[in-house]
Amino acid sequence: MKKFAKLLLFMVIGMALMTGCGSAKDARTSAEPVAVNVIALKGPTAMGMVDFMDRAQAGAITDNDYHFEIAATADEVTPKLVQGQVDIAAVPANLASVLYNNTEGGVQVLAVNTLGVIYIVESGDMVSDISDLKGKMVYASGKGATPEYALNFILEQNGIDPEKDLTIEWKSEHAECLSALMAEENAIAMLPQPFVTTAQTKSDKIRVALDLTEEWDKLDVDSSLLTGVVVARKEFVESNPSAVEAFMEHYGASVTFVNENVEDAAALIEKYDIVPSAVAVRAVPQCNIVFITGDEMKRKLSGYLAVLLEQNPKAVGGKLPDDDFYYAHG
């Protein structure tokens, strides 16, 4: 009788443990779906999302209710994020820091999604090393923004004075640089992707002379040249941790798809009116689309922001973000 009682007790305990484990598992996997409003800038920062967007739109992803929007400029993104109209946004890397400071820590960066996409291109054959820019005239756009700060940093680290050793003619738009490059022989311009590829589709004389991401890496500084990151409202992150982790999982898979299936991705990039597929199929491999999270994200981004702070404090919102700026993925 005692043996039977003990056996019964063990069975009850075992069932209780199994029930407890099942409940815990159910709690992790049955989080209520939430609306997740996402906005991305038209260009490389949106390209990595296209598979995620397409699968969500087709009903293949159902864990949450995802809504995607593509904006033409950062000016469209900022108010929507600050006012809570969107929850997650793909934005320029320095803008993430500005938003953090302007909202008193109201945003967190989830991932780096685009490394450098800036190139020195020419319609001749004069530049093969950064030192070759001495004495030259370079068309560029992005004065007072990341392109200028990145170029100045690379030049200065190579002992070249941006003010004295070359002439930089600043244009208001990338398209103006493209026009100048196309109109002149032996012209040099600083252009981002996909404008580089657009130029090359229009003229076989246009060649990439320098990849500024590679030039940055040659400096052996503890940072990377970055273009874009993904941020989220801190309130949304804290209220919906499961939804944020689900977003990260889908987004990471989408970036992998885009990099490994360029032609299929190019078709989606055209479908979502980012750039034509003929441009995308050539541009994607040069767009440095990535999904970097955690400690590596923090190291690369904090180092990059420190460089910008030294160039112009306004570029990062006056000061470097605190540690709570960096989301701890997983």
Side-chain angles (χ1 to χ4, degrees), residues 208-236:
V208 173
L210 300 170
D211 177 345
L212 292 193
T213 302
E214 290 181 2
E215 296 302 319
W216 187 297
D217 290 343
K218 287 178 185 177
L219 301 176
D220 196 28
V221 291
D222 194 21
S223 64
S224 294
L225 176 57
L226 305 181
T227 297
V229 298
V230 181
V231 299
R233 292 187 297 108
K234 191 173 184 179
E235 181 183 2
F236 180 81

mmCIF file of all heavy atoms in Angstrom, residues 208-236:
data_model
loop_
_atom_site.group_PDB
_atom_site.id
_atom_site.type_symbol
_atom_site.label_atom_id
_atom_site.label_comp_id
_atom_site.label_asym_id
_atom_site.label_seq_id
_atom_site.Cartn_x
_atom_site.Cartn_y
_atom_site.Cartn_z
ATOM 1 N N VAL A 208 34.071 52.448 -60.742
ATOM 2 C CA VAL A 208 34.268 52.655 -59.306
ATOM 3 C C VAL A 208 35.762 52.717 -59.036
ATOM 4 O O VAL A 208 36.500 51.773 -59.325
ATOM 5 C CB VAL A 208 33.628 51.519 -58.489
ATOM 6 C CG1 VAL A 208 34.000 51.658 -57.015
ATOM 7 C CG2 VAL A 208 32.113 51.524 -58.656
ATOM 8 N N ALA A 209 36.204 53.843 -58.495
ATOM 9 C CA ALA A 209 37.628 54.027 -58.206
ATOM 10 C C ALA A 209 37.963 53.615 -56.776
ATOM 11 O O ALA A 209 38.959 52.936 -56.535
ATOM 12 C CB ALA A 209 38.026 55.485 -58.429
ATOM 13 N N LEU A 210 37.103 54.007 -55.815
ATOM 14 C CA LEU A 210 37.360 53.713 -54.409
ATOM 15 C C LEU A 210 36.051 53.371 -53.691
ATOM 16 O O LEU A 210 35.026 54.023 -53.921
ATOM 17 C CB LEU A 210 38.004 54.916 -53.699
ATOM 18 C CG LEU A 210 39.346 55.432 -54.224
ATOM 19 C CD1 LEU A 210 39.691 56.759 -53.549
ATOM 20 C CD2 LEU A 210 40.445 54.415 -53.999
ATOM 21 N N ASP A 211 36.097 52.371 -52.846
ATOM 22 C CA ASP A 211 34.993 52.029 -51.954
ATOM 23 C C ASP A 211 35.339 52.642 -50.595
ATOM 24 O O ASP A 211 36.311 52.240 -49.953
ATOM 25 C CB ASP A 211 34.879 50.502 -51.856
ATOM 26 C CG ASP A 211 33.788 50.048 -50.895
ATOM 27 O OD1 ASP A 211 33.300 50.868 -50.096
ATOM 28 O OD2 ASP A 211 33.441 48.854 -50.927
ATOM 29 N N LEU A 212 34.574 53.633 -50.165
ATOM 30 C CA LEU A 212 34.926 54.332 -48.925
ATOM 31 C C LEU A 212 34.782 53.442 -47.695
ATOM 32 O O LEU A 212 35.421 53.702 -46.671
ATOM 33 C CB LEU A 212 34.099 55.611 -48.775
ATOM 34 C CG LEU A 212 34.407 56.728 -49.790
ATOM 35 C CD1 LEU A 212 33.776 58.038 -49.354
ATOM 36 C CD2 LEU A 212 35.912 56.917 -49.991
ATOM 37 N N THR A 213 33.963 52.409 -47.772
ATOM 38 C CA THR A 213 33.892 51.450 -46.665
ATOM 39 C C THR A 213 35.231 50.722 -46.518
ATOM 40 O O THR A 213 35.741 50.556 -45.401
ATOM 41 C CB THR A 213 32.766 50.427 -46.891
ATOM 42 O OG1 THR A 213 31.522 51.123 -47.039
ATOM 43 C CG2 THR A 213 32.659 49.454 -45.722
ATOM 44 N N GLU A 214 35.812 50.308 -47.625
ATOM 45 C CA GLU A 214 37.121 49.651 -47.588
ATOM 46 C C GLU A 214 38.205 50.624 -47.128
ATOM 47 O O GLU A 214 39.106 50.247 -46.360
ATOM 48 C CB GLU A 214 37.467 49.098 -48.974
ATOM 49 C CG GLU A 214 36.623 47.914 -49.408
ATOM 50 C CD GLU A 214 37.021 47.382 -50.768
ATOM 51 O OE1 GLU A 214 37.995 47.911 -51.359
ATOM 52 O OE2 GLU A 214 36.368 46.426 -51.246
ATOM 53 N N GLU A 215 38.105 51.866 -47.586
ATOM 54 C CA GLU A 215 39.107 52.867 -47.177
ATOM 55 C C GLU A 215 39.032 53.122 -45.675
ATOM 56 O O GLU A 215 40.054 53.312 -45.013
ATOM 57 C CB GLU A 215 38.901 54.171 -47.957
ATOM 58 C CG GLU A 215 39.117 54.045 -49.458
ATOM 59 C CD GLU A 215 40.510 53.544 -49.815
ATOM 60 O OE1 GLU A 215 41.489 53.989 -49.182
ATOM 61 O OE2 GLU A 215 40.622 52.690 -50.726
ATOM 62 N N TRP A 216 37.824 53.127 -45.130
ATOM 63 C CA TRP A 216 37.633 53.295 -43.678
ATOM 64 C C TRP A 216 38.263 52.117 -42.940
ATOM 65 O O TRP A 216 38.980 52.298 -41.955
ATOM 66 C CB TRP A 216 36.144 53.404 -43.376
ATOM 67 C CG TRP A 216 35.783 53.734 -41.945
ATOM 68 C CD1 TRP A 216 36.036 52.990 -40.831
ATOM 69 C CD2 TRP A 216 35.094 54.909 -41.486
ATOM 70 N NE1 TRP A 216 35.548 53.602 -39.707
ATOM 71 C CE2 TRP A 216 34.959 54.784 -40.077
ATOM 72 C CE3 TRP A 216 34.558 56.022 -42.118
ATOM 73 C CZ2 TRP A 216 34.308 55.750 -39.307
ATOM 74 C CZ3 TRP A 216 33.908 56.990 -41.346
ATOM 75 C CH2 TRP A 216 33.789 56.851 -39.963
ATOM 76 N N ASP A 217 37.987 50.901 -43.429
ATOM 77 C CA ASP A 217 38.508 49.700 -42.769
ATOM 78 C C ASP A 217 40.038 49.651 -42.795
ATOM 79 O O ASP A 217 40.656 49.101 -41.884
ATOM 80 C CB ASP A 217 37.939 48.444 -43.431
ATOM 81 C CG ASP A 217 36.447 48.263 -43.148
ATOM 82 O OD1 ASP A 217 35.938 48.898 -42.201
ATOM 83 O OD2 ASP A 217 35.799 47.496 -43.889
ATOM 84 N N LYS A 218 40.645 50.224 -43.808
ATOM 85 C CA LYS A 218 42.110 50.249 -43.896
ATOM 86 C C LYS A 218 42.735 51.071 -42.777
ATOM 87 O O LYS A 218 43.914 50.897 -42.457
ATOM 88 C CB LYS A 218 42.553 50.842 -45.241
ATOM 89 C CG LYS A 218 42.338 49.945 -46.440
ATOM 90 C CD LYS A 218 42.781 50.667 -47.716
ATOM 91 C CE LYS A 218 42.470 49.863 -48.962
ATOM 92 N NZ LYS A 218 42.850 50.613 -50.189
ATOM 93 N N LEU A 219 41.951 51.958 -42.193
ATOM 94 C CA LEU A 219 42.484 52.850 -41.157
ATOM 95 C C LEU A 219 42.719 52.114 -39.842
ATOM 96 O O LEU A 219 43.357 52.654 -38.944
ATOM 97 C CB LEU A 219 41.515 54.024 -40.927
ATOM 98 C CG LEU A 219 41.215 54.893 -42.155
ATOM 99 C CD1 LEU A 219 40.171 55.945 -41.812
ATOM 100 C CD2 LEU A 219 42.492 55.554 -42.675
ATOM 101 N N ASP A 220 42.168 50.924 -39.702
ATOM 102 C CA ASP A 220 42.344 50.107 -38.502
ATOM 103 C C ASP A 220 41.871 50.839 -37.250
ATOM 104 O O ASP A 220 42.548 50.868 -36.222
ATOM 105 C CB ASP A 220 43.816 49.679 -38.355
ATOM 106 C CG ASP A 220 43.978 48.534 -37.355
ATOM 107 O OD1 ASP A 220 43.026 47.749 -37.202
ATOM 108 O OD2 ASP A 220 45.058 48.435 -36.725
ATOM 109 N N VAL A 221 40.708 51.488 -37.374
ATOM 110 C CA VAL A 221 40.076 52.125 -36.216
ATOM 111 C C VAL A 221 38.957 51.223 -35.725
ATOM 112 O O VAL A 221 38.413 50.421 -36.480
ATOM 113 C CB VAL A 221 39.527 53.526 -36.570
ATOM 114 C CG1 VAL A 221 40.672 54.485 -36.842
ATOM 115 C CG2 VAL A 221 38.593 53.462 -37.774
ATOM 116 N N ASP A 222 38.611 51.337 -34.451
ATOM 117 C CA ASP A 222 37.635 50.425 -33.858
ATOM 118 C C ASP A 222 36.215 50.892 -34.162
ATOM 119 O O ASP A 222 35.446 51.250 -33.270
ATOM 120 C CB ASP A 222 37.862 50.329 -32.349
ATOM 121 C CG ASP A 222 37.109 49.138 -31.742
ATOM 122 O OD1 ASP A 222 36.773 48.215 -32.504
ATOM 123 O OD2 ASP A 222 36.879 49.142 -30.526
ATOM 124 N N SER A 223 35.884 50.905 -35.442
ATOM 125 C CA SER A 223 34.547 51.311 -35.886
ATOM 126 C C SER A 223 34.398 50.902 -37.337
ATOM 127 O O SER A 223 35.325 50.352 -37.931
ATOM 128 C CB SER A 223 34.367 52.834 -35.740
ATOM 129 O OG SER A 223 35.260 53.527 -36.590
ATOM 130 N N SER A 224 33.232 51.175 -37.900
ATOM 131 C CA SER A 224 32.978 50.902 -39.307
ATOM 132 C C SER A 224 32.201 52.061 -39.894
ATOM 133 O O SER A 224 31.503 52.786 -39.183
ATOM 134 C CB SER A 224 32.164 49.615 -39.474
ATOM 135 O OG SER A 224 32.888 48.484 -39.058
ATOM 136 N N LEU A 225 32.336 52.236 -41.197
ATOM 137 C CA LEU A 225 31.507 53.209 -41.891
ATOM 138 C C LEU A 225 30.113 52.609 -42.035
ATOM 139 O O LEU A 225 29.948 51.539 -42.606
ATOM 140 C CB LEU A 225 32.103 53.524 -43.265
ATOM 141 C CG LEU A 225 31.294 54.470 -44.160
ATOM 142 C CD1 LEU A 225 31.033 55.803 -43.466
ATOM 143 C CD2 LEU A 225 32.007 54.689 -45.487
ATOM 144 N N LEU A 226 29.133 53.289 -41.493
ATOM 145 C CA LEU A 226 27.766 52.782 -41.492
ATOM 146 C C LEU A 226 26.838 53.721 -42.247
ATOM 147 O O LEU A 226 27.088 54.925 -42.314
ATOM 148 C CB LEU A 226 27.247 52.632 -40.057
ATOM 149 C CG LEU A 226 28.080 51.794 -39.095
ATOM 150 C CD1 LEU A 226 27.392 51.743 -37.730
ATOM 151 C CD2 LEU A 226 28.292 50.395 -39.638
ATOM 152 N N THR A 227 25.768 53.158 -42.788
ATOM 153 C CA THR A 227 24.750 53.967 -43.446
ATOM 154 C C THR A 227 23.442 53.930 -42.679
ATOM 155 O O THR A 227 22.900 54.959 -42.310
ATOM 156 C CB THR A 227 24.503 53.482 -44.891
ATOM 157 O OG1 THR A 227 25.692 53.655 -45.644
ATOM 158 C CG2 THR A 227 23.369 54.273 -45.540
ATOM 159 N N GLY A 228 22.931 52.725 -42.422
ATOM 160 C CA GLY A 228 21.606 52.633 -41.838
ATOM 161 C C GLY A 228 21.499 51.695 -40.660
ATOM 162 O O GLY A 228 22.290 50.756 -40.515
ATOM 163 N N VAL A 229 20.515 51.961 -39.817
ATOM 164 C CA VAL A 229 20.193 51.104 -38.675
ATOM 165 C C VAL A 229 18.677 50.984 -38.578
ATOM 166 O O VAL A 229 17.928 51.716 -39.230
ATOM 167 C CB VAL A 229 20.743 51.683 -37.352
ATOM 168 C CG1 VAL A 229 22.257 51.791 -37.388
ATOM 169 C CG2 VAL A 229 20.128 53.048 -37.043
ATOM 170 N N VAL A 230 18.245 50.049 -37.750
ATOM 171 C CA VAL A 230 16.821 49.905 -37.446
ATOM 172 C C VAL A 230 16.604 50.295 -35.996
ATOM 173 O O VAL A 230 17.284 49.775 -35.106
ATOM 174 C CB VAL A 230 16.340 48.457 -37.669
ATOM 175 C CG1 VAL A 230 14.857 48.329 -37.368
ATOM 176 C CG2 VAL A 230 16.597 48.040 -39.109
ATOM 177 N N VAL A 231 15.687 51.206 -35.767
ATOM 178 C CA VAL A 231 15.384 51.649 -34.408
ATOM 179 C C VAL A 231 13.928 51.356 -34.079
ATOM 180 O O VAL A 231 13.103 51.122 -34.972
ATOM 181 C CB VAL A 231 15.661 53.165 -34.220
ATOM 182 C CG1 VAL A 231 17.113 53.488 -34.477
ATOM 183 C CG2 VAL A 231 14.751 54.000 -35.126
ATOM 184 N N ALA A 232 13.631 51.376 -32.798
ATOM 185 C CA ALA A 232 12.250 51.189 -32.349
ATOM 186 C C ALA A 232 11.975 52.128 -31.183
ATOM 187 O O ALA A 232 12.898 52.529 -30.458
ATOM 188 C CB ALA A 232 12.018 49.744 -31.909
ATOM 189 N N ARG A 233 10.717 52.473 -31.031
ATOM 190 C CA ARG A 233 10.336 53.246 -29.850
ATOM 191 C C ARG A 233 10.570 52.389 -28.605
ATOM 192 O O ARG A 233 10.142 51.233 -28.557
ATOM 193 C CB ARG A 233 8.869 53.670 -29.927
ATOM 194 C CG ARG A 233 8.563 54.674 -31.011
ATOM 195 C CD ARG A 233 7.120 55.184 -30.933
ATOM 196 N NE ARG A 233 6.144 54.128 -31.132
ATOM 197 C CZ ARG A 233 5.376 53.624 -30.179
ATOM 198 N NH1 ARG A 233 5.464 54.058 -28.926
ATOM 199 N NH2 ARG A 233 4.505 52.667 -30.455
ATOM 200 N N LYS A 234 11.243 52.955 -27.632
ATOM 201 C CA LYS A 234 11.574 52.196 -26.428
ATOM 202 C C LYS A 234 10.307 51.696 -25.729
ATOM 203 O O LYS A 234 10.278 50.574 -25.210
ATOM 204 C CB LYS A 234 12.401 53.060 -25.475
ATOM 205 C CG LYS A 234 13.010 52.289 -24.321
ATOM 206 C CD LYS A 234 13.950 53.161 -23.506
ATOM 207 C CE LYS A 234 14.628 52.359 -22.400
ATOM 208 N NZ LYS A 234 15.559 53.218 -21.614
ATOM 209 N N GLU A 235 9.275 52.508 -25.730
ATOM 210 C CA GLU A 235 8.009 52.109 -25.103
ATOM 211 C C GLU A 235 7.442 50.867 -25.777
ATOM 212 O O GLU A 235 6.939 49.958 -25.124
ATOM 213 C CB GLU A 235 7.003 53.261 -25.196
ATOM 214 C CG GLU A 235 5.657 52.968 -24.563
ATOM 215 C CD GLU A 235 4.658 54.094 -24.741
ATOM 216 O OE1 GLU A 235 4.997 55.096 -25.403
ATOM 217 O OE2 GLU A 235 3.522 53.970 -24.251
ATOM 218 N N PHE A 236 7.546 50.815 -27.118
ATOM 219 C CA PHE A 236 7.048 49.656 -27.851
ATOM 220 C C PHE A 236 7.875 48.415 -27.521
ATOM 221 O O PHE A 236 7.329 47.325 -27.337
ATOM 222 C CB PHE A 236 7.090 49.929 -29.358
ATOM 223 C CG PHE A 236 6.587 48.777 -30.194
ATOM 224 C CD1 PHE A 236 5.227 48.587 -30.379
ATOM 225 C CD2 PHE A 236 7.472 47.886 -30.780
ATOM 226 C CE1 PHE A 236 4.753 47.524 -31.138
ATOM 227 C CE2 PHE A 236 7.010 46.813 -31.540
ATOM 228 C CZ PHE A 236 5.649 46.636 -31.713
#
